[in-house]
Amino acid sequence: MLFLGKRSTTGQGIGLSQLPAMQDSELSWGEVSYRPSGEVTPETEVEITTGRRGCGNPQCASSWTAPWRSRKRPIFEGQWGCGGRCVLEMVRTSMRRESSDGILDAPTQHRHRVPLGLLMHSQGWLTHPQLQKALEIQKERGGRIGEILVAECGVDSDLITRGLGMQWSRPVLSAGGFSPRLMALVAPRPFLAQSGLLPLRVAGSSILYVGFEDRLDASSVLALERMSGLKVESGVVKTGEYEEAKAALLENAAVDLKEEILGDVDAVAARVTAVLEQKQPVASKLVRFHRHYWLRLWLEAKAGGGQGVLPVHAEDVFDYVFTAGRLA
Ligand SMILES: [Zn+2]
């Protein structure tokens, strides 16, 4: 089929030969191999997570080797902060990085794309009268052209999905191998709801496949890539399959979430710092999507938290979604 097989879904041929073969349901712990929490002392946790023991704030004025500086947490984005002021500096640096990433603000939906109906007509998948009729109905009562073509013009829904894949230059993905329990842990519900992104499966331990129904949200793909440390491949999923998988996902528990609305990005930075100081995570990460900042905390080493890690259960992982009133 036209859009399948562009890339192997097994993860072969991408330099993973050194890794043991893994099933989709098995998740990588990155460089950190799983060990029962009893074996992990605070000492090893820091070394595992950061690889070094200096304060993560380059401007840090204090000497972290001083004996009274015995704290080993919080760890934010692989770095240890020696005190609240240094953690705040690290958080601000991270938020500047998230803001300067221009593509996050690119309104993908405004980028020029060939209208779906025209594209399908040019492929010979629609007759001119079919297209005409669908456009008239859409003008009259609105709605999505693809749905109208299926409902009113006798067009096969598989063709709509192929057309959408072509429109977005993305493969058509199936929901095969979908584990609703694991995929429900991938990202917080507001992130999924706003982006329309549906996590589908992890393949070869390093690729996360995600599906969209009719519109691809590039910024959410990038945000998820940074949060998970996995390569995120996106595609279009047939409407029926998408709806079914999404419903199954929503029936499963997500990571505990707290949502907060704050005045501006400075307030977000201060709040993120306060949360890190309070929760003392062994790992944490911050990404931005649209107007929101998603902070994920790993509270115990056994919950994972290195690069390329998705939670396998909701315990010891915590999500925050902060919305900044102003993004200045
Ligand atoms: Zn410091």
Side-chain angles (χ1 to χ4, degrees):
M1 194 173 147
L2 190 54
F3 300 103
L4 291 176
K6 271 173 93 176
R7 191 186 291 262
S8 160
T9 58
T10 61
Q12 285 163 357
I14 52 165
L16 291 174
S17 49
Q18 69 274 29
L19 293 172
M22 291 178 117
Q23 297 301 313
D24 283 6
S25 57
E26 293 178 292
L27 297 169
S28 165
W29 298 100
E31 304 135 42
V32 185
S33 56
Y34 175 84
R35 55 178 85 192
S37 57
E39 289 176 27
V40 181
T41 65
E43 201 79 4
T44 56
E45 276 174 25
V46 172
E47 278 164 8
I48 285 169
T49 324
T50 67
R52 65 190 194 92
R53 300 185 59 200
C55 175
N57 173 19
Q59 273 82 51
C60 177
S62 58
S63 165
W64 55 267
T65 51
W68 61 85
R69 296 214 167 265
S70 59
R71 73 180 213 164
K72 305 290 188 271
R73 302 177 182 184
I75 306 290
F76 177 66
E77 305 199 330
Q79 304 268 318
W80 165 73
C82 76
R85 289 174 71 165
C86 286
V87 173
L88 178 61
E89 214 32 65
M90 289 154 63
V91 169
R92 283 188 173 143
T93 303
S94 162
M95 287 177 64
R96 278 195 291 274
R97 175 202 70 212
E98 293 293 308
S99 304
S100 62
D101 202 340
I103 193 159
L104 291 180
D105 289 324
T108 29
Q109 61 270 34
H110 294 156
R111 214 180 291 161
H112 178 73
R113 301 200 179 272
V114 182
L116 182 64
L118 273 185
L119 185 149
M120 293 183 65
H121 182 249
S122 73
Q123 293 297 307
W125 299 341
L126 284 185
T127 63
H128 193 69
Q130 277 177 312
L131 176 58
Q132 225 27 58
K133 183 180 172 190
L135 289 173
E136 271 163 29
I137 293 172
Q138 190 183 39
K139 202 174 162 190
E140 216 170 274
R141 47 180 211 229
R144 294 191 288 195
I145 195 83
E147 283 174 3
I148 297 167
L149 284 165
V150 173
E152 309 285 345
C153 310
V155 175
D156 188 335
S157 62
D158 283 348
L159 281 180
I160 305 293
T161 311
R162 280 176 71 184
L164 286 166
M166 197 176 242
Q167 190 183 26
W168 291 96
S169 308
R170 288 292 195 284
V172 171
L173 298 175
S174 86
F178 174 71
S179 162
R181 192 190 68 78
L182 285 174
M183 293 299 106
L185 302 170
V186 167
R189 297 286 149 89
F191 178 89
L192 302 181
Q194 185 156 83
S195 61
L197 180 151
L198 180 70
L200 293 172
R201 58 190 167 271
V202 176
S205 81
S206 69
I207 301 174
L208 172 62
Y209 282 90
V210 302
F212 292 90
E213 191 178 14
D214 64 345
R215 165 176 299 175
L216 268 94
D217 184 75
S219 76
S220 65
V221 170
L222 284 175
L224 188 53
E225 203 154 69
R226 285 197 302 276
M227 179 57 81
S228 67
L230 298 170
K231 175 98 186 88
V232 177
E233 293 281 357
S234 58
V236 178
V237 178
K238 196 176 163 178
T239 299
E241 259 185 278
Y242 177 96
E243 295 298 344
E244 201 178 311
K246 185 177 156 192
L249 181 147
L250 293 178
E251 278 172 19
N252 282 268
V255 167
D256 281 340
L257 168 70
K258 197 164 179 213
E259 289 179 86
E260 293 180 17
I261 296 170
L262 299 160
D264 57 17
V265 287
D266 284 340
V268 174
R271 186 69 188 114
V272 169
T273 302
V275 167
L276 293 171
E277 287 290 300
Q278 189 209 338
K279 300 268 186 183
Q280 297 282 305
V282 295
S284 59
K285 229 168 192 183
L286 185 70
V287 298
R288 177 177 154 197
F289 67 100
H290 303 281
R291 301 175 67 79
H292 318 283
Y293 289 88
W294 167 22
L295 174 69
R296 175 162 277 185
L297 310 174
W298 286 266
L299 301 177
E300 296 295 335
K302 65 177 176 177
Q307 292 288 318
V309 175
L310 294 173
V312 287
H313 52 71
E315 273 166 57
D316 300 326
V317 185
F318 208 96
D319 281 336
Y320 282 84
V321 171
F322 299 106
T323 304
R326 290 184 303 280
L327 284 173

